[in-house]
Amino acid sequence: MGALKDPECQALASLRDAQDQQHGWATDSCGVGLKAVEHLRKIGLCEMADADTLLQLRLTPPRWAARLTPEGHDTLVYLPARRSTIPLPRPAHEAPEKAREVELRPKALEAVRLYLSLADDLHRPPAPGLADAVRAAQRAGSGSGWRLHLTDPQLDSVAYALWLEARAHSVGPANNLARQYDSQYTPTSRNL
């Protein structure tokens, strides 16, 4: 699953903008086609209403209704921010848990820094201490990689950051993390 294409991003933004205040659902009248919504559901960026929920939305039930998942919301926060450089926030230092050494390539570390900079706007914020671990990263020998010491929750946050990066640009960093450290974010399927 690669980076989102412009029409997919537009469909995701249209769903977000069309979600009504009363029920939180965008319906078939929002201008997004069912095929696009099904694709976004398949990749975990939105969820679709079941038949009972559809009956509760309007006197004449819509053919379908969908709303963004937390991952869909976070993707819309991440995409525009990817193009700008934002300084890393400085959270309070937490006592380190059992950590393991992880090596990230520069592009992956850049994506994690962007994710950290967006922490206040995300539904799934970074694990405590991840910002400190990123600031403490050191060059990995003579290569271009960066060595970090991460706890399991921090590694899960890195996997989520690289999943967002895959929606915005490239699946390479997420694939490398999955291959080297068996850490990969997969959105949960939610069909109400």
Side-chain angles (χ1 to χ4, degrees):
M1 172 172 42
L4 291 179
K5 295 170 181 61
D6 284 342
E8 294 166 331
C9 295
Q10 291 169 356
L12 191 60
S14 293
L15 285 179
R16 176 201 56 206
D17 296 343
Q19 288 181 187
D20 73 12
Q21 297 299 318
Q22 184 179 3
H23 300 289
W25 295 94
T27 64
D28 55 2
S29 63
C30 73
V32 178
L34 179 58
K35 185 175 179 181
V37 173
E38 282 289 339
H39 174 71
L40 293 173
R41 184 199 56 78
K42 182 179 175 187
I43 60 175
L45 300 180
C46 76
E47 57 188 339
M48 296 190 69
D50 63 14
D52 291 335
T53 303
L54 291 175
L55 291 171
Q56 297 171 14
L57 294 179
R58 295 196 305 233
L59 250 30
T60 306
R63 291 181 306 135
W64 59 263
R67 64 181 172 199
L68 270 57
T69 59
E71 294 89 350
H73 169 81
D74 290 355
T75 297
L76 286 176
V77 170
Y78 189 88
L79 288 172
R82 189 184 184 288
R83 293 182 178 88
S84 62
T85 304
I86 303 170
L88 192 61
R90 294 213 170 258
H93 182 68
E94 301 245 344
E97 299 174 36
K98 183 180 173 187
R100 70 181 192 174
E101 189 173 277
V102 174
E103 188 174 324
L104 296 179
R105 294 180 180 164
K107 292 291 183 187
L109 188 60
E110 181 182 313
V112 172
R113 284 185 172 127
L114 175 58
Y115 170 69
L116 287 166
S117 72
L118 300 170
D120 292 340
D121 297 324
L122 299 172
H123 280 272
R124 295 185 189 278
L130 180 59
D132 292 333
V134 168
R135 271 193 295 283
Q138 296 180 346
R139 283 279 191 195
S142 61
S144 64
W146 289 88
R147 228 180 263 131
L148 294 89
H149 291 87
L150 303 174
T151 63
D152 287 341
Q154 292 167 353
L155 184 58
D156 291 343
S157 286
V158 168
Y160 185 58
L162 298 182
W163 181 86
L164 288 169
E165 175 66 12
R167 307 293 66 75
H169 181 65
S170 172
V171 299
N175 288 344
N176 286 338
L177 189 72
R179 191 172 38 256
Q180 292 178 352
Y181 302 101
D182 196 30
S183 183
Q184 177 178 346
Y185 181 80
T186 304
T188 56
S189 177
R190 290 181 207 97
N191 279 326
L192 297 179

